[in-house]
Amino acid sequence: MKRSVLAMAVALAAPQVLANDDAKNDDMEHIQILSHYDKLRTEAGSATLLSEEQLAEFEYDDIHRILSSVPGVNIREEDGYGLRPNIGFRGVTPERSKKITIMEDGVLIGPAPYSAPAAYYFPVTTRMTAVEVFKGPAAIKHGPQSVAGALNLVTRAVPEFSEGAIDLATGSDGYTKAHAYFGSVVNNVGFLLEGVNLQADGFKDLDGGADTGFEKNDLLAKFNYKLQQGEFEHTFGLKLSYADELSNETYLGLTDADFDATPYRRYAASQPDNMDTKHTQVMFSHHLKYQDVSLTSRVYRNDYERAWLKLDGLTNTDATLSEILANPEDEQYERLYQVISGTADSIAENGRPNYLSMGTNDREYFSQGVQLDGTAKFKLAGFDNTLSFGVRFHEDEIERKHFKETYGMRDGSAFNLGLDKVYTSQNTENTQAWSVYLEDKVTLDALTLGLGVRGELMDMAYQNTVNADDWQDKTTRIWLPGMSGFYQLSEDSGILFGVHQGFSPASPQQSVDIEIEKSTNYEFGGRFNDGVTQLEVVSFFNDYSNLKESCGQSNCGALEIGREFNGGEAHVYGLEAQFSQRYPLNLQIDIPYGFVYTYTKGEFKNDRYTNFAQWGHVKSGDELPYLPEHQASFNIGVSAPDWRVSLAVKYVGSMSEAAGRSWDSSTDPNAPNGRYDLALEGKEVSAVTTVDLSAVYELGKYGQVYAKVDNLLDETKIVSRRPYGARPGKPRQFTLGYKYSF
């Protein structure tokens, strides 16, 4: 019993636990099988596992909170529930997670990873059994976004025997969770059925009433068939999934003064705001194993559609919502603010009416492809080699059907005037891409050296569906080499190093003036693991030849949507450290604890005038926005055979909301003709410390009960002022749940 408790303690304390190369690959859905807590990892590159035990520790549904214990992750919160994640690694922009490669079971899961990588769809993490993070040279196998790294979400495998579970929970602000699965094997055919329902009334108080919450449904079905032919082992698989979401979510925040007075208020103008999405996936897979050769092939198709109705601005004014909320007492903005807040009607006694311009960004996406990944182990010239290789043909597309409707404000209520829709953006972007990678790891005594290359061969097309003359085709061919190594100093310690090139493609719509994002990335560090203490320290340096950014409504507002900007040369560097230990208090009780720290510094290395909402006029040495210099987390628990209590403390340093400054050619002789007002110049998101608490009590054969408190200290914080005003994080939330497995 004590040994199993210790194993659980290590799993809960250690933020990074990965297998050695001799781990058995018995689940083809994992990119890498992750276990062996008591061994020193000898693979090069930074890779992190959050295991099923760790995911269950705090019962998080929010990927932001899940990744808070992973070093090198930078996040911009938005809605408090993680409905639209903003995740970056090693200093890349976290905006809509568009600069990292996101996968589910090793397959690209973003709506259109090449053509429109902003991830407005993100899988429900409640049903995941592992989360894998790959950074630096460890991410060379994954693309197209390869500057920062890759995130792989692992769904539940089809069980070998009959098993199932239910998980029911309720909590503050109308929160409920219903999660269940069952799997078995019938006549050599395995199956798994799983479903999740999440909903909440929301924690914001909407002027005029109504909830500000969401409801999400996620259904998964898997089937497999295993066949043994001599030494050949075959596994055939079929995966089907469906997900939908209805959320009364908005981009509209508050003025700083209103946030200080009532941080969880929502203005009346956001009453109609609503997101409606649907996502489906079909994937066929085949896994073949023969001695030391393993091949996995997949054929997949993802479809996603969404319609987000939200406030874009007001009629009969050139003022943006950002300008209005930044200066609500200014004479030219005062009445406009009153209309937004519902204290004035759209129709004024004297003057032109200010109606609400409500935009629906209606979009349809698909992504589909054929993918082959393989590994082979062999000896060459007396040295052990592990060869990894893969090829993928992928196609994705986004079709935009954006339109605006006009709403009125009267007596604090927003209503549709019933006028005709006005279409604003109607276009498609499509990419067809071949991706290949090859990496060989050779062991030379104490040194494991890896050499690899990744190729991305893309054909892109843009077409305005209203104007046949507005179109563009372009082709990009790029090869990205990488090298990594690990030198084992002793049985318990070693050093790692690596260098690789990364890139991020420009979208099909962009002109040739917009360059791809490209960088050369270096890392160096060390590991120690004696079976009790685990320590890893990794430094990194990313040298950008061109930093690129793009405008979406989440960061630029309704202006410049889809436009991309060159940022030129930039440097991002930092340090990632993680430490974990367990302390046996007595024969049955352990105290597992762990510490993670990230230092990141990002700065431009050139002077540049831009119209990008987070840059403006930047000078060499200006810091990148939404990048905290210091982040730290500390986890500690008390674990016994029948119960467990865990505490997580997360600190995130302050972040600037804009890198540069406003510019005007009339006062700056070096500026291009025109002017640009950087709405959030000089603003920053303050540092914050968040504490989460969880507890579990085992009921033996009757299951377990759990309780948790997110944001135990009820810290009120501004998580962002983009795109329109200050928005809060989630307040204190209590949850009580019950699990039963059979």
Side-chain angles (χ1 to χ4, degrees):
M1 174 65 75
K2 181 174 183 292
R3 188 168 184 176
S4 64
V5 173
L6 290 176
M8 174 71 77
V10 176
L12 296 176
Q16 177 165 325
V17 184
L18 286 160
N20 290 323
D21 292 333
D22 61 352
K24 181 181 178 183
N25 190 351
D26 57 0
D27 182 355
M28 68 180 183
E29 293 166 347
H30 282 70
I31 289 178
Q32 194 169 349
I33 296 301
L34 314 151
S35 57
H36 294 286
Y37 305 123
D38 58 342
K39 291 185 178 181
L40 177 71
R41 292 169 39 219
T42 58
E43 77 279 356
S46 301
T48 301
L49 165 75
L50 297 174
S51 65
E52 186 171 9
E53 290 84 0
Q54 289 171 271
L55 296 178
E57 183 180 7
F58 286 94
E59 296 291 341
Y60 290 141
D61 304 313
D62 182 351
I63 188 64
H64 289 157
R65 276 183 143 82
I66 289 173
L67 294 177
S68 65
S69 62
V70 177
V73 176
N74 49 292
I75 285 169
R76 180 174 78 84
E77 291 188 49
E78 183 170 318
D79 53 69
Y81 290 114
L83 301 178
R84 248 69 68 197
N86 298 295
I87 305 165
F89 300 159
R90 292 186 172 176
V92 302
T93 178
E95 199 66 38
R96 284 293 175 267
S97 311
K98 61 190 175 186
K99 290 294 182 70
I100 62 173
T101 295
I102 303 174
M103 300 171 290
E104 182 177 292
D105 295 334
V107 166
L108 295 175
I109 199 64
Y114 285 83
S115 302
Y120 284 90
Y121 167 76
F122 199 91
V124 172
T125 54
T126 309
R127 62 177 173 85
M128 301 303 161
T129 59
V131 174
E132 297 170 318
V133 176
F134 301 89
K135 304 187 296 287
I140 196 171
K141 301 175 184 178
H142 319 300
Q145 315 293 336
S146 57
V147 167
L151 174 67
N152 184 48
L153 306 168
V154 182
T155 63
R156 191 176 310 279
V158 176
E160 296 287 341
F161 306 98
S162 295
E163 66 175 60
I166 58 171
D167 180 2
L168 304 174
T170 185
S172 309
D173 300 313
Y175 170 83
T176 62
K177 174 177 67 172
H179 176 203
Y181 75 88
F182 176 74
S184 186
V185 178
V186 178
N187 295 329
N188 213 33
V189 176
F191 71 90
L192 172 76
L193 303 176
E194 186 166 13
V196 178
N197 173 270
L198 297 173
Q199 55 184 302
D201 295 335
F203 55 84
K204 297 177 185 176
D205 298 317
L206 179 59
D207 292 348
D211 70 52
T212 59
F214 68 92
E215 181 174 2
K216 299 184 73 169
N217 296 291
D218 198 301
L219 303 175
L220 173 69
K222 284 185 175 182
F223 306 90
N224 70 17
Y225 176 75
K226 296 185 177 182
L227 177 65
Q228 184 83 35
Q229 292 181 314
E231 295 187 65
F232 291 90
E233 300 176 18
H234 299 270
T235 302
F236 301 90
L238 170 64
K239 175 185 174 185
L240 306 170
S241 69
Y242 168 86
D244 62 38
E245 176 190 324
L246 282 174
S247 55
N248 300 310
E249 196 48 68
T250 183
Y251 278 135
L252 188 63
L254 304 171
T255 69
D256 281 6
D258 285 340
F259 187 94
D260 291 339
T262 52
Y264 302 112
R265 177 188 177 188
R266 251 181 63 177
Y267 294 139
S270 70
Q271 290 169 1
D273 290 11
N274 178 265
M275 171 73 101
D276 185 355
T277 77
K278 290 181 176 59
H279 181 273
T280 59
Q281 183 189 58
V282 178
M283 183 173 75
F284 297 94
S285 57
H286 172 239
H287 180 66
L288 170 66
K289 184 170 179 59
Y290 172 71
Q291 296 181 354
D292 290 328
V293 177
S294 175
L295 292 173
T296 300
S297 55
R298 302 175 177 94
V299 180
Y300 59 90
R301 166 84 182 204
N302 296 303
D303 288 277
Y304 178 64
E305 58 184 68
R306 47 152 280 195
W308 194 349
L309 171 66
K310 65 247 177 292
L311 180 68
D312 284 346
L314 299 179
T315 64
N316 294 319
T317 179
D318 293 329
T320 67
L321 294 176
S322 297
E323 292 170 338
I324 296 168
L325 296 183
N327 306 280
E329 297 178 356
D330 189 296
E331 183 178 352
Q332 63 177 320
Y333 300 131
E334 184 177 8
R335 169 175 157 70
L336 304 176
Y337 163 72
Q338 292 171 351
V339 173
I340 292 172
S341 59
T343 57
D345 294 345
S346 290
I347 300 177
E349 294 182 4
N350 299 302
R352 295 179 298 175
N354 298 118
Y355 294 119
L356 308 179
S357 179
M358 305 293 298
T360 295
N361 285 3
D362 192 351
R363 303 174 184 175
E364 292 184 8
Y365 304 76
F366 75 78
S367 70
Q368 59 189 10
V370 180
Q371 178 175 323
L372 173 69
D373 299 283
T375 60
K377 295 182 179 181
F378 57 92
K379 281 188 177 291
L380 183 64
F383 298 110
D384 291 330
N385 288 256
T386 300
L387 182 68
S388 301
F389 54 90
V391 60
R392 177 182 69 213
F393 175 76
H394 174 92
E395 180 184 11
D396 61 45
E397 182 175 283
I398 174 175
E399 181 181 2
R400 298 180 179 90
K401 298 174 287 185
H402 298 184
F403 60 87
K404 289 184 181 294
E405 296 175 288
T406 304
Y407 280 60
M409 177 63 67
R410 185 173 60 221
D411 298 331
S413 295
F415 62 96
N416 195 328
L417 294 179
L419 304 177
D420 291 339
K421 298 176 182 178
V422 177
Y423 282 87
T424 54
S425 296
Q426 298 184 72
N427 58 61
T428 61
E429 293 184 89
N430 178 279
T431 300
Q432 295 183 0
W434 284 94
S435 302
V436 296
Y437 70 85
L438 183 69
E439 183 183 40
D440 186 31
K441 293 183 178 180
V442 56
T443 301
L444 311 169
D445 296 326
L447 174 66
T448 300
L449 188 65
L451 296 173
V453 65
R454 180 174 188 84
E456 292 283 356
L457 317 173
M458 298 169 293
D459 294 308
M460 294 181 160
Y462 161 78
Q463 178 65 64
N464 187 319
T465 53
V466 177
N467 180 5
D469 294 328
D470 182 12
W471 63 275
Q472 178 171 261
D473 292 338
K474 62 182 180 181
T475 298
T476 301
R477 306 283 187 261
I478 190 166
W479 295 92
L480 307 163
M483 181 188 74
S484 62
F486 184 85
Y487 187 82
Q488 190 161 351
L489 299 173
S490 68
E491 183 179 340
D492 301 327
S493 63
I495 59 174
L496 62 93
F497 56 89
V499 57
H500 84 288
Q501 282 195 328
F503 105 115
S504 178
S507 74
Q509 185 178 358
Q510 305 308 311
S511 69
V512 293
D513 295 334
I514 302 301
E515 305 170 22
I516 63 172
E517 182 172 275
K518 193 174 181 181
S519 67
T520 303
N521 307 323
Y522 307 86
E523 70 175 14
F524 179 81
R527 296 192 187 105
F528 175 84
N529 185 353
D530 64 358
V532 176
T533 302
Q534 299 182 58
L535 173 67
E536 178 171 295
V537 179
V538 178
S539 61
F540 64 90
F541 176 71
N542 294 352
D543 184 4
Y544 288 84
S545 58
N546 181 58
L547 181 71
K548 182 175 66 68
E549 254 290 13
S550 60
C551 266
Q553 191 148 2
S554 61
N555 61 343
C556 295
L559 302 176
E560 308 278 8
I561 290 181
R563 185 179 174 188
E564 297 186 0
F565 300 86
N566 294 322
E569 296 181 10
H571 289 167
V572 179
Y573 52 92
L575 183 74
E576 302 166 356
Q578 48 191 330
F579 165 85
S580 64
Q581 249 186 3
R582 65 177 185 266
Y583 178 76
L585 194 63
N586 57 40
L587 290 178
Q588 290 193 314
I589 298 179
D590 283 339
I591 301 179
Y593 52 93
F595 177 77
V596 173
Y597 170 75
T598 301
Y599 169 81
T600 315
K601 187 80 169 179
E603 56 188 31
F604 291 89
K605 304 306 292 183
N606 68 126
D607 296 354
R608 186 175 294 256
Y609 293 88
T610 77
N611 291 351
F612 179 55
Q614 293 181 24
W615 291 351
H617 175 206
V618 295
K619 296 182 179 180
S620 181
D622 283 347
E623 296 184 356
L624 300 182
Y626 291 109
L627 182 58
E629 191 168 338
H630 302 283
Q631 297 183 82
S633 65
F634 177 68
N635 287 17
I636 189 168
V638 180
S639 180
D642 296 330
W643 56 269
R644 182 184 76 244
V645 178
S646 302
L647 182 75
V649 182
K650 173 70 175 181
Y651 169 82
V652 179
S654 61
M655 300 179 282
S656 62
E657 302 219 48
R661 55 207 56 81
S662 303
W663 55 269
D664 190 337
S665 59
S666 65
T667 58
D668 183 354
N670 297 316
N673 289 331
R675 63 190 302 270
Y676 188 75
D677 289 323
L678 200 60
L680 295 180
E681 178 180 349
K683 294 283 190 178
E684 71 172 22
V685 176
S686 299
V688 65
T689 300
T690 306
V691 179
D692 295 340
L693 179 68
S694 73
V696 174
Y697 186 79
E698 299 288 346
L699 301 174
K701 65 180 181 179
Y702 300 107
Q704 67 172 225
V705 293
Y706 63 88
K708 65 169 187 161
V709 186
D710 292 345
N711 193 6
L712 177 67
L713 303 182
D714 202 20
E715 186 80 22
T716 303
K717 58 180 179 178
I718 294 177
V719 296
S720 175
R721 292 182 179 86
R722 294 199 181 277
Y724 311 129
R727 288 191 285 176
K730 186 173 68 175
R732 183 190 294 127
Q733 177 180 295
F734 298 92
T735 303
L736 179 65
Y738 170 76
K739 280 185 176 182
Y740 177 72
S741 299
F742 55 92

